[in-house]
Amino acid sequence: MSAVTKAVIPVAGLGTRFLPVTKATPKEMLPIVDKPAIQYVVEEAVAAGLNDVLLVTGRAKRAVEDHFDENSELENALAQKGNQQMLDAVRGPVELANIHYVRQGVPRGLGHAVACAKQHVGDEPFAVLLGDDLIDDRDYVLPKMISVREKHGGSVVLLMPVPESEVHLYGCAAVRPTDDPQVVEIDDLIEKPAKGTAPSNLAVIGRYVLDPSVFQVLDATAPGQGGEVQLTDALRVLTKTDAIKGGGVRGVLFDGRRYDTGDKLSYLKAVVRLAAGRSDLGPEFREWLKSFTDSQEFSSPKN
Ligand code: G1P
């Protein structure tokens, strides 16, 4: 069975929830302290040994490409000033991985974005990482997901229990336990179930290790929830169809630190949590944060 060596990261979304900042800036470039969100995700893929990274981009995503490209003018200026620390920060994303790009001309949904990776990926299993979910580097889980794929074949998704009031925001799984307490068999998957109809409180978090048979299924997947081609719908077919080579979907249960950067409130929480945990900024920031929350300053907000 082939090893997992490639990561696919869709970055073609419109970022509607963050307008107006996403009018001219891709949402993947929003800073989480001093790095854009996308860099954390590429770093996670590389830490799992996936040096071949395909970014599925769209219109107005040039800043993402520039971020992972050389900037000799800036590098020369920093070198002349002898600013090695900033030079390393600027070189970091360039040297991180072998990054490739494919364009998703029309944003037709996550399933369609993954289908755009077909030619690059070929007939190998591959990982998909979604930029809105940041996994804390102390709790990286992709290696475990890859080992489940290597042991059982098929596809693997990451699952996390969420409050019942939030399940309708995610893909949701019906599961059965296995011998490994961290791994479940998936019997069914539903994209954004209507309130009260979710089969469990286990939500699909944006990490997947997929069998290449998913491409064949995606080709035949009609638009679903929100009029978009949903990856969850294709995976649902793979949970049901033994006839398809590479079928079968398992879930890895996650209880680590995960930061949702997909909407304004959770984005703010992610920035605060990561800044508070940094060794350079954390001590001073935590002290300020405490005195700020203890003060009355925020009780009369201005826009
Ligand atoms: C996507 C997937 C959904 C998954 C979620 C995780 O939804 O379609 O199944 O639970 O990512 O973040 P989106 O958040 O793009 O609407």
Side-chain angles (χ1 to χ4, degrees):
M1 196 159 51
S2 334
V4 184
T5 61
K6 291 175 182 162
V8 172
I9 306 179
V11 291
L14 297 175
T16 318
R17 284 185 286 181
F18 273 94
L19 284 168
V21 68
T22 47
K23 184 179 172 192
T25 304
K27 70 168 175 172
E28 296 77 13
M29 290 303 293
L30 294 182
I32 313 284
V33 189
D34 52 6
K35 285 192 287 191
I38 183 71
Q39 190 175 335
Y40 289 87
V41 181
V42 175
E43 285 172 352
E44 183 189 341
V46 171
L50 312 178
N51 290 306
D52 182 316
V53 176
L54 178 74
L55 300 184
V56 184
T57 66
R59 234 178 312 139
K61 299 289 177 173
R62 218 189 109 185
V64 175
E65 298 180 19
D66 286 347
H67 184 70
F68 292 103
D69 200 1
E70 312 267 344
N71 183 338
S72 49
E73 207 182 331
L74 177 59
E75 285 177 33
N76 289 340
L78 291 168
Q80 261 168 23
K81 286 188 186 150
N83 192 340
Q84 192 58 41
Q85 200 188 348
M86 282 304 132
L87 197 52
D88 291 345
V90 166
R91 290 293 309 164
V94 182
E95 285 160 9
L96 199 51
N98 296 320
I99 303 204
H100 308 270
Y101 300 91
V102 64
R103 292 266 290 219
Q104 182 189 20
V106 195
R108 293 205 188 103
L110 177 59
H112 179 244
V114 171
C116 292
K118 183 177 175 177
Q119 201 178 354
H120 182 85
V121 167
D123 195 24
E124 288 174 26
F126 62 106
V128 173
L129 294 87
L130 305 189
D132 285 350
D133 291 305
L134 288 195
I135 308 278
D136 194 292
D137 60 7
R138 291 163 290 186
D139 299 323
Y140 279 167
V141 68
L142 210 44
K144 171 73 184 178
M145 296 175 71
I146 292 171
S147 77
V148 171
R149 152 74 199 188
E150 279 164 1
K151 188 164 172 204
H152 301 282
S155 297
V156 187
V157 303
L158 188 61
L159 296 174
M160 191 173 185
V162 298
E164 222 159 277
S165 57
E166 291 173 21
V167 187
H168 69 284
L169 301 171
Y170 297 92
C172 178
V175 305
R176 263 178 299 129
T178 67
D179 292 347
D180 181 341
Q182 216 192 326
V183 179
V184 290
E185 296 278 353
I186 297 186
D187 287 331
D188 203 0
L189 280 166
I190 300 168
E191 179 66 10
K192 311 222 166 81
K195 280 190 182 159
T197 67
S200 75
N201 68 337
L202 290 174
V204 176
I205 298 307
R207 298 293 178 274
Y208 309 79
V209 175
L210 300 178
D211 186 90
S213 59
V214 75
F215 291 125
Q216 188 191 329
V217 182
L218 279 168
D219 280 348
T221 301
Q225 239 278 334
E228 299 191 330
V229 178
Q230 297 294 346
L231 180 59
T232 307
D233 293 345
L235 290 173
R236 177 170 205 235
V237 173
L238 290 180
T239 66
K240 308 271 178 214
T241 324
D242 292 339
I244 293 180
K245 186 176 134 287
V249 183
R250 286 168 189 83
V252 166
L253 302 174
F254 183 66
D255 62 358
R257 283 156 282 203
R258 167 239 176 197
Y259 312 114
D260 175 4
T261 58
D263 69 38
K264 288 179 211 171
L265 184 60
S266 24
Y267 168 80
L268 288 172
K269 289 180 191 171
V271 174
V272 170
R273 286 168 75 172
L274 283 174
R278 286 261 297 241
S279 56
D280 53 349
L281 298 165
E284 224 178 303
F285 182 56
R286 287 195 299 269
E287 208 175 298
W288 173 81
L289 200 57
K290 188 160 186 331
S291 64
F292 177 66
T293 50
D294 287 347
S295 77
Q296 297 303 308
E297 253 185 86
F298 58 86
S299 58
S300 52
K302 298 190 187 78
N303 288 326

